[in-house]
């Protein structure tokens, strides 16, 4: 691989918690990758810190605005997602459940469907060779509790975008992680599955850093192409940390 040309990889949602990790990992592997980022605002760009050269600012709801970020990219890792916010005033001591809402313009239909569709279209128009899309486990169940948060139907819209990518003709990898943990990566055995089977087990969460790593590894193996996988991890110390990503992708046969 030493003689292979470096891949220009665009990370969208690069200021998010998983996006920042993916962008940083690509920067650290500068002999293999030329990283780019796409963020929504100057404020988001500042979150990435001093490493924020090669960051484009555009709103994914604006199909024309995002196009320049995709020009000349070999691969794209889509890590954009709407994020529900908790309504103020919730007091856990009084029982009941917190209520959630989405900010204007940040509803799942706008971000996880229209925004991701725009990105897939932009990637196709720019001749991008491989798109890695990070979705979420739970999408097979329309009644999943995440869909009721803020009446956003977030998993429904994510699933629609995943299907759009699978039907687009672009080489793709769809990764659907379980619950995201803010823990160190590289210390756990990773587990793959399909159709939300992992939600019936005890292994249904994964560190964000491991999700970011799998995204980058997916760009390097034929075995990851045209595949969709659910992704989780065993508890730290509960298995052998995954190092052979080719073997991990070989376990997957499902295209969606």
């Amino acid at each position: 691989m030493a003689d292979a040309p470096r891949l220009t990889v665009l990370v969208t949602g690069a200021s998010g918690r998983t996006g920042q990790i993916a962008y940083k990992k690509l920067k650290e592997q500068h002999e293999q990758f030329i990283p780019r980022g796409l963020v929504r605002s100057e404020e988001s760009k500042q979150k990435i810190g001093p490493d924020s050269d090669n960051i484009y600012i555009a709103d994914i709801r604006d199909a024309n605005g995002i196009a320049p970020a995709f020009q000349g990219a070999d691969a794209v890792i889509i890590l954009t997602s709407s994020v529900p916010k908790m309504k103020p005033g919730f007091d856990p001591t009084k029982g009941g459940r917190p209520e959630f809402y989405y900010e204007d313009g940040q509803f799942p239909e706008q971000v996880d469907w229209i925004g991701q569709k725009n990105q897939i279209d932009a990637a196709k128009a720019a001749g991008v060779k491989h798109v890695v899309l990070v979705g979420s486990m739970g999408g097979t169940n329309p009644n999943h509790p995440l869909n009721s948060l803020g009446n956003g139907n977030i998993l429904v819209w994510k699933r629609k975008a995943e299907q759009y990518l699978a039907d687009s003709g672009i080489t793709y990898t769809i990764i659907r992680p379980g619950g995201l943990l803010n823990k160190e990566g590289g210390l756990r055995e990773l587990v793959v599955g399909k159709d939300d089977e992992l939600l019936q087990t005890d292994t249904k969460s994964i560190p964000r850093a491991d999700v970011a790593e799998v995204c980058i590894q997916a760009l390097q193996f034929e075995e990851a192409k045209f595949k969709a996988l659910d992704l989780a991890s065993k508890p730290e110390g509960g298995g052998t940390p995954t190092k052979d990503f080719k073997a991990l992708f070989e376990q997957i046969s499902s295209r969606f």
Side-chain angles (χ1 to χ4, degrees):
M1 290 292 286
D3 301 331
R6 292 196 297 166
L7 290 181
T8 297
V9 182
L10 173 65
V11 177
T12 71
S15 65
R17 285 181 289 178
T18 311
Q20 286 186 53
I21 298 168
Y23 182 76
K24 185 164 178 271
K25 280 177 174 285
L26 289 166
K27 267 191 103 72
E28 287 166 354
Q29 297 176 56
H30 53 80
E31 69 293 339
Q32 272 181 284
F33 302 110
I34 302 167
R36 273 185 200 176
L38 177 65
V39 298
R40 197 170 77 222
S41 64
E42 183 63 43
E43 184 186 3
S44 300
K45 181 178 175 177
Q46 296 307 320
K47 286 185 191 171
I48 299 170
D51 288 344
S52 62
D53 50 329
N54 230 3
I55 299 287
Y56 292 74
I57 299 174
D59 190 318
I60 57 171
R61 297 171 301 166
D62 174 6
N64 293 327
I66 64 172
F70 289 79
Q71 293 299 322
D74 298 300
V76 176
I77 299 172
I78 297 179
L79 280 164
T80 52
S81 178
S82 49
V83 180
K85 304 215 163 177
M86 193 189 295
K87 286 186 179 174
F90 174 66
D91 183 351
T93 61
K94 294 182 177 170
R97 291 171 177 269
E99 289 185 47
F100 290 85
Y101 70 100
Y102 291 95
E103 292 181 339
D104 283 350
Q106 297 301 306
F107 274 85
E109 182 178 359
Q110 296 164 299
V111 175
D112 298 277
W113 166 234
I114 294 166
Q116 292 196 354
K117 180 177 177 291
N118 286 344
Q119 293 177 71
I120 294 161
D121 290 343
K124 192 168 184 174
V128 168
K129 299 180 187 74
H130 192 168
V131 173
V132 177
L133 172 61
V134 177
S136 173
M137 270 200 265
T140 61
N141 175 15
N143 299 314
H144 192 285
L146 283 178
N147 284 325
S148 64
L149 293 185
N151 295 317
N153 278 324
I154 187 167
L155 297 181
V156 174
W157 294 113
K158 282 184 183 291
R159 194 82 171 175
K160 195 171 163 73
E162 291 167 11
Q163 186 69 62
Y164 188 79
L165 175 60
D167 293 341
S168 70
I170 303 173
T171 300
Y172 67 86
T173 308
I174 297 166
I175 297 170
R176 302 178 180 122
L180 297 170
L181 307 170
N182 296 315
K183 303 268 191 186
E184 194 177 338
L187 302 176
R188 297 166 178 243
E189 183 172 328
L190 304 184
V191 184
V192 293
K194 63 176 185 175
D195 298 333
D196 292 333
E197 296 163 340
L198 294 176
L199 292 179
Q200 311 308 317
T201 72
D202 292 335
T203 44
K204 44 181 178 270
S205 60
I206 181 168
R208 292 176 185 278
D210 286 324
V211 175
E213 184 64 35
V214 172
C215 289
I216 294 165
Q217 293 288 342
L219 301 176
Q220 302 174 64
F221 292 101
E222 287 293 320
E223 291 78 8
K225 291 179 176 177
F226 300 106
K227 299 272 183 83
L229 56 125
D230 294 351
L231 183 65
S233 65
K234 293 184 179 178
E236 206 176 306
T240 307
T242 296
K243 302 280 186 255
D244 186 344
F245 289 91
K246 182 174 188 282
L248 187 76
F249 295 128
E250 281 175 340
Q251 294 175 44
I252 299 296
S253 58
S254 46
R255 294 174 69 90
F256 190 79

